[in-house]
Amino acid sequence: MDARERVLCSGRVFASHYQFVLCEDPERPLADDENWTDALLMQGFAGAPEWRMIGTDADLNDHWIELALGDSAPVGDDWHRIVCCDFQTRSGAVHVMGLMDEDPAISAQVAPGPYAAYVCVLNPGIDQHTTGELEAGAPQLSDQELAARDDLERYRVVLVPGAPVRTGVLKEANGGGTALA
C-alpha cells in the first residue's frame, strides 16, 4: 500500500452483473440516462457522482475490496488497471456494495465534498474458476482467505479529496506505470 493512503475498511463484495457500486446513499434510484452505454463501458464506470457503478471482470463476481483515503493519486506501478471517476458525498457517507445488495458490504465516513475516486484493480479476470481451483473441488474461500489472496481479482478504491483532473481508464495492464495526476 502506498504510504499516502489509509485503508478505511474492506470486505467481500458480490459484484452482480459484473459491477459494484460506490455511493453516498444505497437507496438512491438509478435514472435511465445514468445506466451503462457502450461509451461508459469503455470508461469503466457509469452512474452519477453520488452513485457510481464500477465494471468488474471475473466471472465469479466475488471480490475483496478495500476503501481507502489518500492525499494523491495512487502509483500506477502497483496496479494492473486504474479507473478514475468523480464522486460526491454531501453527508460524508461512503458505501461499497453489490448492485443487487440491500445493505452495503462496507461503509465509511469521510469529510463531505467532491472526490477523485481511483478504482485500482489487481489481476482483472482472475478468480477461483480461472485458476482451476473450483474444478479441483476447492471450497469457496472464507473472507479471511479471500482477503489474503492477492493473486485473484481485487480492488482498492482510493478517495482523494477534490475533483479529478481526468476520468476514465487511466491505466491498463499493458500501459505505462507512472504516478497519476
Side-chain angles (χ1 to χ4, degrees), residues 6-11 22 65-69 94-96 106-110 155-159:
R6 178 174 52 97
V7 174
L8 302 172
C9 53
S10 59
L22 170 68
I65 300 179
E66 298 174 330
L67 179 62
L69 189 61
V94 181
H95 306 285
V96 178
I106 56 178
S107 299
Q109 193 72 27
V110 297
Y155 293 81
R156 178 176 299 143
V157 178
V158 180
L159 300 177

Side-chain angles (χ1 to χ4, degrees), residues 156-175:
R156 178 176 299 143
V157 178
V158 180
L159 300 177
V160 176
V165 175
R166 289 178 26 210
T167 61
V169 178
L170 303 182
K171 179 191 178 185
E172 273 295 341
N174 295 329

Side-chain angles (χ1 to χ4, degrees), residues 33-47 52:
D33 64 344
E34 296 170 344
N35 215 336
W36 292 100
T37 63
D38 289 342
L40 294 176
L41 282 171
M42 296 301 293
Q43 80 175 10
F45 68 93
R52 290 293 185 202

Side-chain angles (χ1 to χ4, degrees), residues 68-89:
L69 189 61
D71 60 10
S72 62
V75 176
D77 289 343
D78 298 339
W79 304 99
H80 293 121
R81 178 186 305 139
I82 299 177
V83 174
C84 183
C85 60
D86 54 324
F87 177 71
Q88 174 76 34
T89 176

